[in-house]
Amino acid sequence: MNAILKQAAEHWRYVAPLLTPAQTETDYDTLVTVLDELLDEIGGAEGHPLAALAAQMGDLIGAYDSEHFPIPDAPGHEVLRFLMQEHGLRQEDLPEIGPQSVVSEILAGKRQLNVRHIRALTARFNVPADVFF
């Protein structure tokens, strides 16, 4: 056995839980908690020695999310309505979209979100643009 494999074998019991797909919600919660701590440690340093571990853990969490918490497809106006409810906003609170009458038409499905609207909403709510399509 080469030196790298020998070291991996010696430490595997400590590392394996971080690289094993979550089977239960408890496993998932543990991965999320440890990844949060790891990201605090790494900060924004892409070259950090543990950055690859964080990426792998993120992939495992993402896979669990996709399987257990799928995001249903919804029209853009319903996504906007949901985001407004989550943030306690009224139609008047979205001047980046336009006047209240424009927001009302969008929410009623009478008017489509345009590229300018979507850019403003992705910036405001920190969501990917594709949630509005």
Side-chain angles (χ1 to χ4, degrees), residues 9-119:
E10 289 173 7
H11 299 284
W12 186 246
R13 66 182 170 165
Y14 303 109
V15 178
L18 307 177
L19 296 172
T20 303
Q23 299 300 312
T24 66
E25 196 165 335
T26 301
D27 295 342
Y28 171 82
D29 291 341
T30 300
L31 275 175
V32 169
T33 300
V34 173
L35 180 58
D36 285 344
E37 290 177 31
L38 182 56
L39 292 174
D40 287 344
E41 177 69 28
I42 291 172
E46 291 180 20
H48 192 282
L50 296 175
L53 175 61
Q56 182 64 33
M57 291 175 67
D59 290 345
L60 293 171
I61 291 167
Y64 189 92
D65 283 340
S66 294
E67 184 177 339
H68 294 89
F69 309 111
I71 298 172
D73 290 333
H77 68 278
E78 288 183 17
V79 173
L80 177 57
R81 184 183 321 280
F82 171 79
L83 290 169
M84 289 173 65
Q85 288 173 344
E86 287 294 303
H87 290 61
L89 299 173
R90 299 168 309 186
Q91 294 177 4
E92 306 82 46
D93 297 330
L94 295 171
E96 60 266 52
I97 300 301
Q100 181 273 328
S101 60
V102 171
V103 177
S104 179
E105 288 178 352
I106 290 170
L107 291 173
K110 295 178 182 177
R111 186 175 190 154
Q112 297 292 318
L113 289 166
N114 64 35
V115 173
R116 183 184 61 77
H117 297 147
I118 292 171
R119 282 188 185 141

